[in-house]
Amino acid sequence: MKKFIGVVLISLICITPVKAEKSNFTWGVKAGLNLSGISGNKNKIWGILPRYHFGLVGEYLADTWFAVAAELLLSVQGADYKVTKDSYMDVYYIALPLMVRFYPVHWLSIETGPQLGIAVDITTRDNGKSYKLDSYFYNKFDCEWTVGCTGYFKRYFASIRGAMGWSNILQTEASKNYNFQFSIGMKF
């Protein structure tokens, strides 16, 4: 967590001078709900688990209809393990979504792009006991493809996004993350 706060502070320091020089560049903050799970496993015992995300967003508007955007997020994803009542897995990712945005109208963008993530903490819970998961069982790198849209209301925005993983997250079986994000944020 200390590393994440350090990266956020350095990013703020680096981004602020750019905003003063380029009027087409904006940045802000966002937070929201993740509904995530794991797909592709043989037994289909993983369910959707609600978690959260928050972080920084930056966007360069290249034209009135086209922009590129990057985000730096702490995104908690996981899955509900449906074998026992109190069993689930939480994975804390430092995530970097890289988006291409198309603006059909000035207040709405349609966006797509990859999201790269590195797991910084992996915890499982089974019958009331928490365990740290070893990287032997879990792939620390995650790559997902995202598609979504964002509505803008002056300085504020709300977005919905779906993501489907490309990489296996469990070393022992075919398993990919999937995630639905609901976010609100503010641009500066």
Side-chain angles (χ1 to χ4, degrees):
M1 189 62 164
K2 289 181 183 179
K3 289 180 184 178
F4 176 74
I5 292 171
V7 169
V8 168
L9 290 175
I10 290 171
S11 299
L12 283 173
I13 292 168
C14 293
I15 290 173
T16 303
V18 175
K19 186 177 186 291
E21 296 171 14
K22 301 211 179 232
S23 61
N24 290 348
F25 183 82
T26 58
W27 68 280
V29 294
K30 73 182 268 186
L33 172 70
N34 285 344
L35 296 175
S36 60
I38 297 174
S39 67
N41 30 11
K42 300 174 225 172
N43 300 327
K44 300 190 189 276
I45 53 177
W46 295 100
I48 292 176
L49 190 65
R51 290 297 181 254
Y52 60 91
H53 65 275
F54 63 90
L56 296 172
V57 298
E59 178 183 74
Y60 178 75
L61 189 63
D63 201 348
T64 58
W65 59 273
F66 177 77
V68 291
E71 301 173 0
L72 182 61
L73 305 173
L74 175 66
S75 182
V76 183
Q77 296 177 212
D80 184 19
Y81 192 67
K82 294 181 178 180
V83 172
T84 60
K85 196 172 195 178
D86 187 27
S87 299
Y88 58 86
M89 177 173 56
D90 281 338
V91 185
Y92 292 77
Y93 286 106
I94 300 293
L96 181 66
L98 304 169
M99 309 297 289
V100 175
R101 292 185 174 155
F102 300 97
Y103 286 86
V105 291
H106 73 280
W107 53 268
L108 176 71
S109 71
I110 299 168
E111 52 202 40
T112 188
Q115 175 173 301
L116 309 173
I118 298 194
V120 293
D121 187 42
I122 306 161
T123 304
T124 60
R125 184 170 178 89
D126 190 19
N127 290 327
K129 296 179 185 174
S130 292
Y131 306 95
K132 295 288 183 186
L133 202 59
D134 191 349
S135 62
Y136 173 77
F137 298 106
Y138 201 88
N139 184 2
K140 287 191 167 255
F141 178 74
D142 182 44
C143 184
E144 300 176 355
W145 192 263
T146 63
V147 176
C149 63
T150 301
Y152 299 91
F153 317 98
K154 297 184 180 179
R155 291 179 31 191
Y156 304 98
F157 61 90
S159 65
I160 184 170
R161 182 183 299 167
M164 188 64 188
W166 286 349
S167 54
N168 285 332
I169 57 168
L170 298 174
Q171 301 283 12
T172 56
E173 61 184 276
S175 54
K176 297 176 179 13
N177 275 331
Y178 64 90
N179 189 27
F180 299 99
Q181 282 187 347
F182 304 92
S183 307
I184 56 171
M186 181 172 66
K187 288 186 176 183
F188 300 108

